[in-house]
Amino acid sequence: MTRVVLLGASPGPDTSPTGLRLAALPGNPTVAERLRSQLTSLDPRLATIDSGDVAAALNALAEVAESATENLFIIPENSVVHDELIYQITKAKRGALALVAKEPRPEVTEEEQDDSGPEDNVPIDEAEPEIGLGRLEGLPVRSRVGKSRVVSVGTASHAVTRPNAVLLGPLHVSARNAPILAETCRELAAMAATFGEDDDLLQLIVFGLVRNGVSVGIRGRRDLFYRRVTTQEEANEAGAEMSGMDEDRARLNNAVKGADGFFTTYFVSTYSRFIARWAARRGLTPNQVTLISIALGVAAAACFATGDRPWMVLGGVLIYFAFVFDCVDGQVARYARKFGVLGAWLDATFDRFKEYVVFAGLAIGWVVSGNGDDIWILALAALGLQSVRHLLDFSFGVANRRKPPAKLPTLALDAPDDRDLRQALTRRKVERSQGLRGLLKMWTKAGKFRAVHWARKMIVFPIGERFAAIAITAALFDARITFLTLVIWGSVAAAYTLTGRLMRSLV
């Protein structure tokens, strides 16, 4: 469950979201009616805070945060937004996430892309804080964002160095950061007299969170729509623009994992999403698709067990499509938003089952073809190696979740500019660029080159590459080549991942 907070205002009847209609959308709803209907599935309570009095609004939000036991989603009441964008923001796993719009810049240096230090190539002593560079989406440009998080936020009386973005409105805060949010709102309420008339309430909240050391991630609108409206003309424009965008296509694209391996990205996900949409629209559940994947995997193993070349080729085709439907079940779950503990357990368990039953089928096919039974040594080596890799993946994931998030520098809310914060970030950047941490950071930066990016994806031998290796080598060669490929590539992957995780555990 997510606690939803609507930030309302006290405008006249002609500019209230209850009076602005979206004529281009079905049903001719008002802005407020549509937003409330979108959010009631998240939280039927829908706490509404009048933002006309900044101090009172901040204190009211602090009370909500103090009593919250779930994540908080804060959004202005005059927002026109796609359902999918709300879903993407509220499902984020970061401690805090804000929707932003970046100001177009004529040039972007490497330093500007680094969110762990200063976002420009000007020395700190020479970088003059600025109040803003204009307006975007009707809001003053008073935020500095890096590659993945908000670095600094200003107000009418708090300068920010080289602002390059605005915080559009929706803000998601995890339950673990709710106490910090409450404390921040109390502090901001006490200094409300220092804020200007054009200071946006949500930007003020993020201003306080960032200065109190909370890492606020960023997300752009991408192929989805968000806009605040204050007049009927703006509502008409927003409705027309949003109705012209394909939200379903964006939802389908978001159903595909963005961090998949090379083979999955280019040889499966290019079309599997359309199978997922077809399946979802016909009422197939993710678990039913998982059963199809399992059946194809078992059929592939049976083909391999014959040892005959035509059946080996068919087995290669079947194991490929077993993997395709393994991707489709997750895409159906994300597209149709049908998640369950049973489905997650089945998916993880039977991924291993399909691999291991195929190993058995390959070994049996080798033996029945009269090639001897020494193949079982290679089969057991491949199975044991893969089992150990899965064990290490699981244990590292559990240990990593227990690791507390890195603390960011803090800055007093009454500091007139962000100079001290940026100096602290510079020192942090220098510290993180030394020793093992610096080496890891260099390797991470190397990922901006596509060849390196995909080489790093492939070297860990993810499931897509494993199933592709099995399908190709079994169809073109024989079981011995298949197992040798799995053992050699798997050993390199194990050494690479183990080295990286040991290094990350030591920093």
Side-chain angles (χ1 to χ4, degrees), residues 5 7 49 56-66 74 181-182 185 205:
V5 180
L7 297 182
I49 294 175
L58 289 167
N59 281 320
L61 180 56
E63 290 179 7
V64 174
E66 286 168 346
I74 308 167
L181 173 63
C185 288
I205 295 167

Side-chain angles (χ1 to χ4, degrees), residues 384-444:
L385 176 62
Q386 195 55 45
S387 297
V388 170
R389 290 189 60 209
H390 288 314
L391 176 64
L392 292 175
D393 289 344
F394 174 78
S395 59
F396 183 79
V398 171
N400 212 38
R401 285 194 292 270
R402 294 174 180 170
K403 184 179 178 181
K407 293 183 178 180
L408 291 175
T410 60
L411 180 66
L413 298 187
D414 58 358
D417 57 54
D418 62 357
R419 190 183 303 273
D420 290 343
L421 180 62
R422 291 176 59 78
Q423 288 175 341
L425 287 171
T426 302
R427 290 192 296 271
R428 182 174 181 266
K429 180 183 178 182
V430 172
E431 293 170 358
R432 293 169 66 91
S433 300
Q434 298 173 347
L436 285 178
R437 194 185 294 273
L439 186 62
L440 288 169
K441 188 173 181 180
M442 287 176 58
W443 185 231
T444 300

Side-chain angles (χ1 to χ4, degrees), residues 2-3 5 45 61-72 173-176 178-179 181-182:
T2 300
R3 189 76 173 101
V5 180
R45 297 166 292 178
L61 180 56
E63 290 179 7
V64 174
E66 286 168 346
S67 62
T69 57
E70 58 272 280
N71 297 341
L72 289 155
V173 181
S174 68
R176 72 172 183 267
L181 173 63

Side-chain angles (χ1 to χ4, degrees), residues 123 134 147 191 220 248 328 346 349 394 445 476:
K147 185 177 180 180
M191 53 187 295
D248 184 72
V328 169
L346 284 176
T349 301
F394 174 78
K445 281 188 173 183
L476 300 181

Side-chain angles (χ1 to χ4, degrees), residues 362 366 371-372 374-375 378 477-485:
L362 287 166
W366 177 270
N371 296 310
D374 59 338
I375 194 69
L378 283 175
F477 304 105
D478 54 45
R480 184 183 293 272
I481 297 298
T482 299
F483 286 127
L484 285 173
T485 302

Side-chain angles (χ1 to χ4, degrees), residues 331-353:
Q331 291 165 5
V332 169
R334 288 184 287 273
Y335 178 76
R337 298 173 187 169
K338 294 180 179 179
F339 301 99
V341 175
L342 176 63
W345 175 73
L346 284 176
D347 188 48
T349 301
F350 284 103
D351 277 353
R352 310 291 79 78
F353 171 78

Side-chain angles (χ1 to χ4, degrees), residues 237-463:
E237 292 174 356
E241 184 176 349
M242 186 165 64
S243 62
M245 299 177 71
D246 191 346
E247 183 182 9
D248 184 72
R249 184 58 182 263
R251 179 171 175 172
L252 185 62
N253 291 339
N254 284 323
V256 178
K257 288 182 180 178
D260 274 329
F262 179 83
F263 181 79
T264 307
T265 299
Y266 290 103
F267 296 94
V268 177
S269 295
T270 50
Y271 68 89
S272 63
R273 68 189 72 186
F274 302 109
I275 300 176
R277 180 166 62 184
W278 180 90
R281 288 180 174 178
R282 280 152 185 82
L284 287 178
T285 67
N287 291 349
Q288 290 170 332
V289 178
T290 298
L291 292 175
I292 295 173
S293 177
I294 294 168
L296 290 171
V298 172
C303 291
F304 290 144
T306 66
D308 294 333
R309 177 57 53 195
W311 290 104
M312 295 286 283
V313 173
L314 179 59
V317 173
L318 289 175
I319 195 63
Y320 166 72
F321 281 105
F323 176 67
V324 170
F325 279 90
D326 182 46
C327 295
V328 169
D329 63 5
Q331 291 165 5
V332 169
R334 288 184 287 273
Y335 178 76
R337 298 173 187 169
K338 294 180 179 179
F339 301 99
V341 175
L342 176 63
W345 175 73
L346 284 176
D347 188 48
T349 301
F350 284 103
D351 277 353
R352 310 291 79 78
F353 171 78
K354 282 179 295 188
E355 275 191 280
Y356 297 162
V357 77
V358 163
F359 289 178
L362 287 166
I364 292 171
W366 177 270
V367 173
V368 300
S369 298
N371 296 310
D373 58 2
D374 59 338
I375 194 69
W376 288 106
I377 297 174
L378 283 175
L380 290 173
L383 188 151
L385 176 62
Q386 195 55 45
S387 297
V388 170
R389 290 189 60 209
H390 288 314
L391 176 64
L392 292 175
D393 289 344
F394 174 78
S395 59
F396 183 79
V398 171
N400 212 38
R401 285 194 292 270
R402 294 174 180 170
K403 184 179 178 181
K407 293 183 178 180
L408 291 175
T410 60
L411 180 66
L413 298 187
D414 58 358
D417 57 54
D418 62 357
R419 190 183 303 273
D420 290 343
L421 180 62
R422 291 176 59 78
Q423 288 175 341
L425 287 171
T426 302
R427 290 192 296 271
R428 182 174 181 266
K429 180 183 178 182
V430 172
E431 293 170 358
R432 293 169 66 91
S433 300
Q434 298 173 347
L436 285 178
R437 194 185 294 273
L439 186 62
L440 288 169
K441 188 173 181 180
M442 287 176 58
W443 185 231
T444 300
K445 281 188 173 183
K448 67 182 179 181
F449 301 105
R450 291 188 64 82
V452 176
H453 171 79
W454 289 121
R456 291 193 321 199
K457 291 281 188 181
M458 295 178 70
I459 197 174
V460 298
F461 207 18
I463 188 171

